[in-house]
Each structure stands twice: as C-alpha cells, then as structure tokens.
Amino acid sequence: DEDARKQRPRVVLEGLSVGDAFGEMCAYGHAEVRKRVALGVPAGPWWWTDDAAMAVGIEECLHRCGAIEEDLLAWIFARNYKRDPDRGYGKMAARILQQIGEGEPWERVSKEAFNGGSMGNGAAMRVAPLGAWFAEDLDLVVKHAMKSARVTHWHPEGIAGAIAVAVATACAWRTRDLALDAALEIIATELLQRTPESETRSGIAAAVTIDPRLSPEVVGRRLGNGSLVTAPDTVPFVIWLALRSLGDFQEALISTVEAGGDCDTNAAMVGAIVTARLGVSGIPADWLEAREALPPADG
Ligand code: 8NA
Ligand code: MG
Ligand code: MG
Ligand code: MG
C-alpha cells in the first residue's frame, strides 16, 4: 500500500548513508579498516556527506510527486546545498547547484559543465532510493534514473552510471525472496540489458565475469576504484562488490573500503544495493547508531 511504498526510499537510504559515513570515516587508513572494526565499532558520529544529502533530495521528490520531476528535483538539490553546503560536494556539482539556486535553468547549467556535461559519479551515488520506489517496473526505473541524473550530470557516462545503480537496486529489491544465486543472475542480466552503451556499461560487462573471490584491491586496480570520481571509474567496481557480498552488509562495506579510492561514494552505493535485498535489519544496529542522524524525509 501507499504507506509501505513511502518507506522504501528510506530503507535504501539507511544503507546508503551508513555506507557514505563509514567510507568517509575510513578514507584515511582504509587498509586497516578490517582490523579496526574487529577491535570494536569506531566511535560515532560518523558524518554523512553529499552522497546521502542528495539521496535525501531524491526521496523528497518521490514523496512530493511520486516520480522524478526535474524542475522540482533541481530546486530541492539547490535548496539543500544552500542550507548545508559543507558536505563535500564535488567542485562542479557545487558550482551547478549554486547557479541553479541563483535562478539559472538547470538544463543549460548542466549541459555547460565540462562542455557537454559532468560524468562524475554524483548522479549514481544518490540514485538508489528511486530504484526501490519503482522496483516493480524496470522501464520506469531507467526513465526516472535518467531524469534524476541529467539535472546535474548531462554526460552520457554520468547518466549510464545512475541507470546501472538504480537498476541494481531495483533488482536487489525485487529478488529479495529468491535464493542468492538466482538473485545475482537476474541482477547481472538486467544490468547488461538496461545500461546504455557506454564505457560504464563495458566496465559492468567485465565486472560480472570477474571472480568474486579475488581481493577488492586487485579488482579495484583492474576496474578503477573511483579515484577519478567518474561514473566509469566507479560504477563497475561497485557492481562487482555488491554482487560478491549481496548477503552480508558488514562484509560488503569493509571490503569496499579496503580497496581505497572514492571510499565514501563506493560504500554509499554498495550499502544501498545490499540493503535493498536485506532490509534495515541487515545493517548492524551499532553501525546505524554511530551514523550521524539523517534529516527528515520531507525537507
Ligand atoms: P562533479 O560533477 O563535480 O564531478 C566530479 C569530478 O569528476 C570532477 O571534479 C572531475 O574531476 C570529474 N569529471 C566529471 N565530468 C568530467 C568530464 N566531462 N571530463 C573530465 N572530468 C570530469 O561532482 P559529482 O557530484 O559527480 O562528484 C561526486 C563525488 O564528489 C563523490 O565522490 C563525492 O563524495 C564528492 N567528493 C568529495 C570529496 C571531498 O573530499 N570533498 C572528494 C572526492 C569526491
Ligand atoms: Mg561524499
Ligand atoms: Mg566525501
Ligand atoms: Mg566520494
């Protein structure tokens, strides 16, 4: 029913924000993270960043109009940026949101970034809540992921990254009652079918064939661990990580962060996808407790 549907973005957002905040906290000293966690949960608060801040904006847009409406989403993003600008936004993202807030039309500002649009991983990092919202209809997932991306990321790679993460989240949600192997098969198939032709898609095609038993460091070097902060350098690795540890939130996040690179953003996306399958009960209670409280759902 409507009430249960309204909760869906928040379920995914819990995993996304714990990942964001955990990854941000571990970004320095990421190689030691497994040892550190074994000694006990690091003291909170773990501060969340732009990843969670923008995902909250997606949630608000879904609650307000049941879909992604670009003018509204641009307005919400710009308002949230203005209220709380020091969340580690990407440089171009901050400039775009500043300009939208000053009344510039989002479409022109988004197209002009880098002369053809940003391919930063910022459209992918925030998109997961809408995957859960539209989980019954993957055509709608693709359509609204694209709309949500191009408000700030006009470049086809930025959009492809968002579509892939949204589809992975939706499929993880749809297959939560299936055995793990069956779920993994469906997620991989839909990702390859629905991600537009791009460098990001080629990376995903490689990722789904890479042995899940390899170490994250090795695979991160092969696929890119997000250190370039772009969609093609980030999303294929995120997909590999999410698929190899879809049944275990804590293992997923620790191995994600161990590989370094864009730790907070990688962990935000992996945390979101895994939580779409496991629910909030898959997140250790003390990790949820340590994360800085989230803002309310409706602005
Ligand atoms: P963005 O749109 O500013 O893009 C991020 C970066 O991607 C840019 O600064 C460029 O280096 C690169 N890039 C994007 N498009 C192009 C292009 N067409 N040609 C060449 N290079 C390009 O911001 P975003 O929202 O996509 O970024 C998200 C990332 O920024 C996340 O990792 C997020 O956590 C944040 N971030 C913050 C810090 C920090 O410490 N404040 C560090 C890294 C990332
Ligand atoms: Mg961040
Ligand atoms: Mg950060
Ligand atoms: Mg980041």
Side-chain angles (χ1 to χ4, degrees), residues 50-51 88 91-93 114 117-122 153 229 262 264-265:
D50 55 329
D51 311 67
K91 257 199 205 121
M92 183 60 78
F114 302 104
S118 174
M119 61 171 174
N121 56 21
H153 291 68
V229 212
D262 195 356
D264 70 319
T265 300

Side-chain angles (χ1 to χ4, degrees), residues 20-21 24 47-53 87-90 121 125 262-265 268:
D20 176 14
E24 187 69 23
W47 306 103
W48 44 263
T49 72
D50 55 329
D51 311 67
R87 286 284 176 182
Y89 285 87
N121 56 21
M125 76 186 181
D262 195 356
C263 287
D264 70 319
T265 300

Side-chain angles (χ1 to χ4, degrees), residues 155-178:
H155 194 290
E157 295 292 344
I159 293 172
I163 290 174
V165 172
V167 167
T169 307
C171 290
W173 188 283
R174 284 157 74 88
T175 58
R176 38 179 37 194
D177 296 328
L178 301 183

Side-chain angles (χ1 to χ4, degrees), residues 232-282:
D233 190 57
T234 308
V235 173
F237 184 46
V238 160
I239 296 300
W240 179 79
L241 287 159
L243 295 183
R244 84 189 266 279
S245 22
L246 194 62
D248 185 340
F249 183 90
Q250 184 167 325
E251 172 57 30
L253 257 60
I254 290 173
S255 52
T256 298
V257 169
E258 274 183 318
D262 195 356
C263 287
D264 70 319
T265 300
N266 295 343
M269 292 189 268
V270 171
I273 297 167
V274 172
T275 302
R277 176 172 175 88
L278 301 178
V280 177
S281 63

Side-chain angles (χ1 to χ4, degrees), residues 25-282:
M25 174 186 60
C26 298
Y28 307 96
H30 61 83
E32 304 298 315
V33 62
R34 191 175 295 273
K35 260 194 263 167
R36 227 176 124 189
V37 171
L39 295 173
V41 178
W46 306 348
W47 306 103
W48 44 263
T49 72
D50 55 329
D51 311 67
M54 297 195 89
V56 170
I58 299 252
E59 176 190 49
E60 181 180 346
C61 186
L62 293 170
H63 279 190
R64 283 193 185 215
C65 58
I68 297 301
E69 207 277 291
E70 288 142 305
D71 294 335
L72 175 61
L73 184 62
W75 180 85
I76 292 170
F77 281 161
R79 182 207 60 198
N80 289 355
Y81 172 72
K82 192 171 180 192
R83 274 185 191 165
D84 190 10
D86 299 323
R87 286 284 176 182
Y89 285 87
K91 257 199 205 121
M92 183 60 78
R95 228 175 85 187
I96 290 172
L97 297 176
Q98 173 80 32
Q99 289 179 325
I100 294 171
E102 288 164 1
E104 306 279 330
W106 62 264
E107 186 168 334
R108 183 167 59 67
V109 174
S110 182
K111 280 180 182 165
E112 277 175 8
F114 302 104
N115 287 314
S118 174
M119 61 171 174
N121 56 21
M125 76 186 181
R126 68 192 184 213
V127 78
L130 78 78
W133 183 269
F134 291 114
E136 285 80 5
D137 187 337
L138 295 177
D139 293 334
L140 289 181
V141 172
V142 170
K143 175 179 161 190
H144 290 278
M146 200 249 260
K147 284 160 67 107
S148 77
R150 67 186 179 193
V151 167
T152 51
H153 291 68
W154 194 270
H155 194 290
E157 295 292 344
I159 293 172
I163 290 174
V165 172
V167 167
T169 307
C171 290
W173 188 283
R174 284 157 74 88
T175 58
R176 38 179 37 194
D177 296 328
L178 301 183
L180 198 50
D181 281 353
L184 293 173
E185 180 82 40
I186 290 168
I187 298 170
T189 304
E190 294 290 354
L191 273 171
L192 294 179
Q193 234 161 62
R194 294 179 183 270
T195 308
E197 211 48 63
S198 55
E199 194 189 323
T200 300
R201 187 194 175 282
S202 303
I204 293 169
V208 300
T209 69
I210 296 177
D211 190 338
R213 290 162 305 185
L214 290 178
S215 88
E217 292 97 323
V218 167
V219 177
R221 274 195 295 274
R222 194 186 298 179
L223 293 174
N225 66 359
S227 53
L228 301 180
V229 212
T230 64
D233 190 57
T234 308
V235 173
F237 184 46
V238 160
I239 296 300
W240 179 79
L241 287 159
L243 295 183
R244 84 189 266 279
S245 22
L246 194 62
D248 185 340
F249 183 90
Q250 184 167 325
E251 172 57 30
L253 257 60
I254 290 173
S255 52
T256 298
V257 169
E258 274 183 318
D262 195 356
C263 287
D264 70 319
T265 300
N266 295 343
M269 292 189 268
V270 171
I273 297 167
V274 172
T275 302
R277 176 172 175 88
L278 301 178
V280 177
S281 63

